């Protein structure tokens, strides 16, 4: 079994046949399916809401529905996404003004039986996440500015991955360390070497005939 988890991001999928686009990733070896929710405020673009998660639920099979909330008010969306079938919800550190609100949101996600993740944008130091590690199931390091697919990987993310990996080791808990943005065979290798175990890949996989070979290549890292 691969030590790496691949999370295809449907942002680059063909939405006119989204169910088939989701379904094809599990046989190719994906354990997560990454769902990018944007509200037009936290980031300029708007994508989809809980309805889409409910729609793809039966196509996702056993893949973890990994929901990445790039929104201004994540707390109000936790219950709707949980009801729609999200298995894991990642919120942004930057979406909140106080640590009290951040802890409350993590606890809400976990109280609903879901896994909880927290993410930092490129300009936010990864150190801000350390107080939350004891209660997190996943840390998501953004290696591009959130908002759209197809951007170039920012190598500064590697330093953050190393720091979080060291601190995850100290917790003796299972915490996924996910990286999102600009992932391809080359950048993925650097991320895994730095300590990432979960790779989000959008434009590297979707839109390519040989997506299954590409995914298999990531699983071999
Ligand atoms: C960007 C999203 C990513 C995006 C990645 O805001 O969070 O998940 O789909 O796209 P690629 O893999 O093309 O950089
Ligand atoms: Zn994402």
């Amino acid at each position: 079994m691969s030590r790496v988890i691949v999370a295809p991001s449907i942002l680059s999928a063909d939405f006119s046949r989204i169910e088939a686009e989701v379904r094809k990733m599990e046989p190719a070896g994906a354990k997560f399916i990454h769902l990018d929710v944007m509200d037009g405020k936290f980031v300029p673009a708007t994508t989809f809401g809980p309805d889409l998660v409910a729609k793809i639920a039966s196509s996702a099979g056993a893949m973890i529905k990994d929901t990445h909330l790039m929104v201004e008010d994540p707390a109000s969306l936790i219950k709707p996404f949980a009801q729609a079938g999200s298995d894991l919800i990642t919120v942004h550190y930057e979406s909140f003004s106080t640590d009290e609100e951040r802890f409350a949101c993590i606890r809400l996600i976990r109280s609903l039986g879901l896994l909880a993740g927290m993410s930092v944008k490129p300009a936010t130091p990864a150190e801000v996440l350390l107080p939350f590690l004891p209660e997190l199931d996943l840390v998501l390091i953004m290696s591009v500015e959130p908002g759209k697919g197809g951007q170039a990987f920012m190598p500064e993310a590697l330093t953050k991955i190393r720091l979080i990996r060291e601190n995850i080791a100290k917790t003796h808990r299972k915490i996924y360390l996910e990286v999102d943005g600009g992932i391809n065979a080359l950048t993925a290798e650097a991320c895994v070497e730095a300590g990432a175990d979960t790779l989000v890949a959008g434009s590297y996989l979707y839109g390519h005939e040989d997506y299954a070979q590409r995914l298999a290549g990531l699983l071999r890292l």
Side-chain angles (χ1 to χ4, degrees):
M1 223 180 83
S2 174
R3 61 180 175 146
V4 170
I5 289 173
V6 176
S9 163
I10 64 166
L11 200 58
S12 297
D14 177 353
F15 274 74
S16 70
R17 41 185 206 91
I18 191 62
E19 282 150 310
E21 290 277 80
V22 169
R23 199 176 303 114
K24 72 185 189 185
M25 289 301 177
E26 192 176 24
K31 293 271 185 287
F32 285 19
I33 188 84
H34 187 81
L35 310 168
D36 287 304
V37 177
M38 305 185 189
D39 67 353
K41 290 182 259 183
F42 185 78
V43 291
T46 304
T47 56
F48 47 79
D51 289 1
L52 194 272
V53 179
K55 183 178 169 187
I56 59 136
S58 57
S59 312
M63 291 187 289
I64 297 282
K65 291 177 284 306
D66 164 16
T67 310
H68 177 192
L69 296 185
M70 287 163 275
V71 301
E72 253 181 24
D73 182 18
S76 68
L77 291 173
I78 304 305
K79 279 189 187 147
F81 276 102
Q83 276 161 8
S86 292
D87 302 294
L88 157 65
I89 298 182
T90 296
V91 294
H92 264 270
Y93 177 87
E94 301 86 357
S95 295
F96 304 88
S97 23
T98 66
D99 280 356
E100 202 179 345
E101 289 169 3
R102 294 180 185 101
F103 274 116
C105 195
I106 294 169
R107 288 171 190 160
L108 172 61
I109 296 169
R110 300 185 92 215
S111 75
L112 297 168
L114 277 57
L115 301 173
M118 190 167 275
S119 182
V120 280
K121 297 207 273 189
T124 306
E127 282 83 354
V128 301
L129 297 176
L130 299 182
F132 303 98
L133 285 187
E135 300 195 31
L136 285 173
D137 301 294
L138 178 143
V139 168
L140 170 57
I141 301 296
M142 288 306 299
S143 40
V144 297
E145 201 55 53
K148 58 177 194 276
Q151 306 178 74
F153 180 81
M154 299 166 76
E156 303 89 292
L158 298 173
T159 314
K160 293 185 179 182
I161 293 169
R162 281 187 210 104
L163 175 100
I164 297 294
R165 173 52 65 201
E166 279 170 28
N167 283 278
I168 286 177
K170 292 182 200 157
T171 67
H172 303 290
R173 296 180 58 241
K174 169 67 196 171
I175 304 175
Y176 296 100
L177 178 46
E178 184 176 53
V179 58
D180 183 3
I183 292 297
N184 57 40
L186 211 62
T187 57
E189 189 176 357
C191 290
V192 171
E193 202 165 278
D197 56 22
T198 306
L199 305 168
V200 177
S203 56
Y204 180 63
L205 297 178
Y206 279 111
H208 300 279
E209 289 280 323
D210 62 345
Y211 70 90
Q213 286 97 301
R214 288 173 178 233
L215 204 159
L218 299 179
L219 290 176
R220 280 195 293 272
L221 289 172

